[in-house]
Amino acid sequence: EQSGQIHEIGFTLYMDLLERAVQALKAGRTPELDRPLDHGAEIDLGLPAILPTDYLPDVHTRLVTYKRIASAESHAELKDLQVEMIDRFGLLPEPTKNLFAITALKLKVQPLGIKKLEAGPKGGRIVFGDSPNINHMKLIQLVQSRPKDYKLDQAAGALKFVRDMSEPEKRIAQVGTIVAQLTG
């Protein structure tokens, strides 16, 4: 039942809520689940990013693995976890590969001050926090050199992009390339 909830509200939010509830219960308090969460950058690429039940049938193992993936603090830690999973459970199914790739992308964008990254088949947007850690000149050059592909939405603090990303398996790499153009 719990793993079905992950799909409804999103993996990161679910894990944060679960962690908060467990900590409150251990401390003998009532969980404050209506308090806002700061769970870093939100990534939505419109791709399945889960641990399928036919790949990892045990609910407890699946939830522990979700938590380990969400808690990874480096690309090396994520890579080690991938290797461990392949050793224990076999080759990763596509939705699990997506989960790891999206988590790696989240690790990449968090230090850049990106709050939200959304992308679909025809483009998407990057929403910046209050003080993004990007190369502002590169952002301006990108928008000026390709005005049909990139637009700044100053009211929302976002960079909108139009790009054919209809192939889901390439979407993560394409978004990664856009993010890389904003750094350095």
Side-chain angles (χ1 to χ4, degrees), residues 115-127:
K115 287 192 323 189
K116 189 174 198 175
L117 196 155
E118 299 171 312
K122 297 182 180 188
R125 70 184 186 139
I126 298 172
V127 180

Side-chain angles (χ1 to χ4, degrees), residues 18-84:
L18 184 62
E19 180 76 20
R20 182 190 293 179
V22 168
Q23 286 177 353
L25 291 171
K26 282 182 179 179
R29 294 180 281 116
T30 303
E32 298 177 45
L33 300 178
D34 55 349
R35 185 173 42 106
L37 292 172
D38 178 22
H39 52 82
E42 182 183 331
I43 311 267
D44 179 6
L45 302 184
L47 301 172
I50 61 168
L51 299 169
T53 56
D54 59 344
Y55 178 70
L56 233 149
D58 180 63
V59 173
H60 176 68
T61 305
R62 203 166 49 248
L63 289 174
V64 167
T65 305
Y66 274 123
K67 181 63 178 166
R68 289 180 65 198
I69 293 168
S71 300
E73 295 181 3
S74 70
H75 293 283
E77 197 175 330
L78 267 182
K79 193 68 169 167
D80 289 345
L81 187 52
Q82 277 181 308
V83 169
E84 178 187 329

Side-chain angles (χ1 to χ4, degrees), residues 79-96:
K79 193 68 169 167
D80 289 345
L81 187 52
Q82 277 181 308
V83 169
E84 178 187 329
M85 286 183 65
I86 291 168
D87 286 346
R88 288 179 65 192
F89 310 112
L91 293 176
L92 302 176
E94 203 60 39
T96 305

